[in-house]
Amino acid sequence: MRPLRTPIALALGVVLGTGVSLTYGVLADKSNANKPDALPLRDMQTFVEILNRVKSDYVEPVSDDALLEDAMRGMLAGLDPHSSYLNKEEFAEINVQTSGRFGGLGIEVQQFNGFVKVIAPIDDTPAARAGIQPGDLIIKIDDAPVKGMSLTEAVKKMRGEPGTKIVLTVAREGANEPLIFDMKRDIIAVSSVRSRMLEPGIAYLRVTTFSSSTGKGLADEFRKLKKAAPEGKLKGMVLDLRNNPGGVLNAAVEVTDAFIEKGTIVSIKGRVSDANREYNATPGDLLDGKPLVVLVNGGSASASEIVAGALQDHRRATVIGTRSFGKGSVQTIIPLGQGNGALRLTTARYFTPSGRSIQARGITPDIEILQEVPEELKARDNARGEASLRGHLKAEGQEETGSQSYVPPDPKNDKALQLALDLMRGVQKNSAYPANPRATPN
């Protein structure tokens, strides 16, 4: 495994309670084919006319800054669900997230129909302990309605000094009335990797998000696991990527590289040639070829899908669970000058080692298994998936919508985890396990 010096790209959503690293810089392509056309002057004149009319005739005064920011947001919102304009405060917020330490609740969120939607609570945080669930809509923060707030405003309200109290009012599909959660903020210093021994010789490693420290975290946790194993030897490992919404591209490359010896991990292809890249594995396998199972579900997105897809294509791991989210695009953060915020722009699609695009399709597991979902959660269990997002990039082939995202809190009731254990114990047999690396793409 090698230190990564290539640019870093951002994956899904805005994150509350975890750190992300981003690509900084402009993608430059000197070919004439990619030079933008001349500005449409007539349309620009129409835009200026509308701007002046709003400034002079709108019922209340509106500042130039507000109008121009809204115009930029509208332009980017029309491209796809993941491109957006980041003002100075939002850009600073992303940089704060990179540090990974602040007072908050530990919720990954995104804007949805004027409300704030929970992507997933982060393990062992106030939100997770209180019972916040993926798909919950936050409709009030303390006494303030969320409707009409920007995502940045909502995030700011949920953050604060550790130990201070906060009340979230949540709309949950299937619930007859809003749910109220009383919580105390805590230091959110999220470790994106956690591990434990499932039984002697069989390790469990969970990656909750992909941050700039995930690769190091995985190596640290793996050393602990080997130390805890009988005679320091592992018989196999379960890598749990369920409800992991993604994060830093390079972290996904590092995690994949930890388990494969050679070949392509992921390739990225954009309209601008400078966006095209291929990431390759380097010698070294932490598990020394021992069996590996990867768990995914409808909440596994972007960077999670890069890892699952690469390990699946290289036949290094058996993928178990339900079809993943299907986000196969890469966003680049481009600063717009001192104090001017940044542009988050979808610049490329990524492809698995075999050339698959998972955009709006997802990763199909080698062994599909559904969980027993409690009756009160059945109405909202399926993650909607990339294909259901308005304006998403179209798939290359048949699109697939969401799949099951529920993970039982008690491991004994976790059918996917128990199947992985039974396969490693030899109690159950399946042609997909163990994976056969001899059928590997170059």
Side-chain angles (χ1 to χ4, degrees), residues 134-175:
D136 284 348
L137 289 182
I138 300 171
I139 58 176
K140 285 178 70 176
I141 301 172
D142 289 326
D143 293 326
V146 170
K147 188 77 170 178
M149 283 187 195
S150 70
L151 188 58
T152 301
E153 290 170 333
V155 167
K156 281 184 178 179
K157 281 189 171 293
M158 286 187 279
R159 290 206 176 147
E161 288 296 316
T164 56
K165 293 181 179 180
I166 183 172
V167 178
L168 295 188
T169 304
V170 164
R172 179 173 291 175
E173 192 170 347

Side-chain angles (χ1 to χ4, degrees), residues 61-98:
V62 187
S63 71
D64 289 344
D65 287 348
L67 288 172
L68 291 172
E69 181 173 318
D70 286 345
M72 290 186 285
R73 290 188 187 281
M75 176 172 60
L76 290 159
L79 297 176
D80 69 88
H82 310 296
S83 294
S84 62
Y85 167 71
L86 304 172
N87 64 24
K88 183 170 67 173
E89 290 76 21
E90 291 164 335
F91 188 29
E93 173 65 24
I94 285 182
N95 288 318
V96 167
Q97 292 169 19
T98 306

Side-chain angles (χ1 to χ4, degrees), residues 117-120 133-137 171-173 380:
K117 183 178 182 179
V118 176
I119 300 173
Q133 296 281 346
D136 284 348
L137 289 182
R172 179 173 291 175
E173 192 170 347
R380 64 176 191 86

Side-chain angles (χ1 to χ4, degrees), residues 356-417:
R356 288 185 292 166
S357 169
I358 61 89
Q359 173 61 23
R361 302 185 71 179
I363 297 292
T364 300
D366 300 306
I367 306 173
E368 184 175 26
I369 186 165
L370 297 175
Q371 304 282 1
E372 291 290 339
V373 182
E375 196 64 37
E376 66 272 16
L377 299 179
K378 283 184 178 178
R380 64 176 191 86
D381 175 54
N382 280 13
R384 296 176 69 227
E386 177 80 6
S388 66
L389 299 181
R390 182 179 178 184
H392 68 273
L393 299 179
K394 299 304 179 185
E396 297 182 359
Q398 178 67 39
E399 294 191 346
E400 300 286 352
T401 52
S403 74
Q404 191 180 75
S405 61
Y406 176 72
V407 178
D410 186 345
K412 293 178 182 177
N413 299 326
D414 186 341
K415 286 189 171 184
L417 180 60

Side-chain angles (χ1 to χ4, degrees), residues 78 196 270 294 407:
R196 68 178 188 270
V294 176
V407 178

Side-chain angles (χ1 to χ4, degrees), residues 86 100-101 169 186-187 214 255 258 290 307 364 372 379 392 415:
L86 304 172
R101 286 186 64 88
T169 304
D186 201 352
I187 289 289
T214 297
V255 169
K290 297 295 192 301
V307 175
T364 300
E372 291 290 339
H392 68 273
K415 286 189 171 184

Side-chain angles (χ1 to χ4, degrees), residues 80-364:
D80 69 88
H82 310 296
S83 294
S84 62
Y85 167 71
L86 304 172
N87 64 24
K88 183 170 67 173
E89 290 76 21
E90 291 164 335
F91 188 29
E93 173 65 24
I94 285 182
N95 288 318
V96 167
Q97 292 169 19
T98 306
S99 71
R101 286 186 64 88
F102 43 81
L105 302 176
I107 318 174
E108 294 151 359
V109 295
Q110 66 183 39
Q111 198 93 42
F112 181 76
N113 289 343
F115 295 104
V116 173
K117 183 178 182 179
V118 176
I119 300 173
I122 298 171
D123 291 351
D124 196 28
T125 62
R129 291 191 291 267
I132 297 290
Q133 296 281 346
D136 284 348
L137 289 182
I138 300 171
I139 58 176
K140 285 178 70 176
I141 301 172
D142 289 326
D143 293 326
V146 170
K147 188 77 170 178
M149 283 187 195
S150 70
L151 188 58
T152 301
E153 290 170 333
V155 167
K156 281 184 178 179
K157 281 189 171 293
M158 286 187 279
R159 290 206 176 147
E161 288 296 316
T164 56
K165 293 181 179 180
I166 183 172
V167 178
L168 295 188
T169 304
V170 164
R172 179 173 291 175
E173 192 170 347
N176 295 326
E177 56 187 28
L179 306 176
I180 297 174
F181 294 89
D182 292 282
M183 289 176 277
K184 284 185 179 181
R185 297 178 179 91
D186 201 352
I187 289 289
I188 306 299
V190 178
S191 171
S192 61
V193 185
R194 292 181 175 83
S195 68
R196 68 178 188 270
M197 296 300 296
L198 295 172
E199 60 181 52
I202 300 179
Y204 172 87
L205 197 148
R206 171 158 170 74
V207 180
T208 57
T209 60
F210 287 89
S211 70
S212 55
S213 63
T214 297
K216 180 180 182 303
L218 183 141
D220 291 344
E221 292 298 319
F222 188 82
R223 281 192 290 271
K224 295 177 188 175
L225 291 168
K226 283 203 75 172
K227 190 174 180 179
E231 300 180 0
K233 295 180 180 179
L234 293 172
K235 295 187 292 186
M237 175 181 284
V238 177
L239 177 62
D240 192 347
L241 302 178
R242 292 176 295 180
N243 292 330
N244 180 326
V248 176
L249 170 63
N250 280 19
V253 171
E254 288 182 292
V255 169
T256 309
D257 193 14
F259 300 107
I260 62 175
E261 297 269 9
K262 62 180 181 178
T264 302
I265 292 174
V266 63
S267 57
I268 296 172
K269 299 176 184 178
R271 185 166 65 94
V272 178
S273 61
D274 282 9
N276 297 342
R277 276 186 200 89
E278 185 173 283
Y279 296 81
N280 296 299
T282 56
D285 177 354
L286 289 181
L287 274 177
D288 295 324
K290 297 295 192 301
L292 178 64
V293 168
V294 176
L295 304 182
V296 298
N297 66 6
S300 305
S302 199
S304 299
E305 295 171 293
I306 289 174
V307 175
L311 293 174
Q312 185 181 57
D313 279 2
H314 281 278
R315 309 295 191 270
R316 179 62 189 90
T318 302
V319 179
I320 295 177
T322 59
R323 187 179 56 254
S324 63
F325 188 86
K327 181 181 179 291
S329 63
V330 177
Q331 284 67 48
T332 301
I333 301 294
I334 306 168
L336 299 175
Q338 186 67 33
N340 292 326
L343 176 65
R344 174 168 49 196
L345 189 66
T346 299
T347 53
R349 295 176 187 248
Y350 68 75
F351 297 83
T352 71
S354 66
R356 288 185 292 166
S357 169
I358 61 89
Q359 173 61 23
R361 302 185 71 179
I363 297 292
T364 300

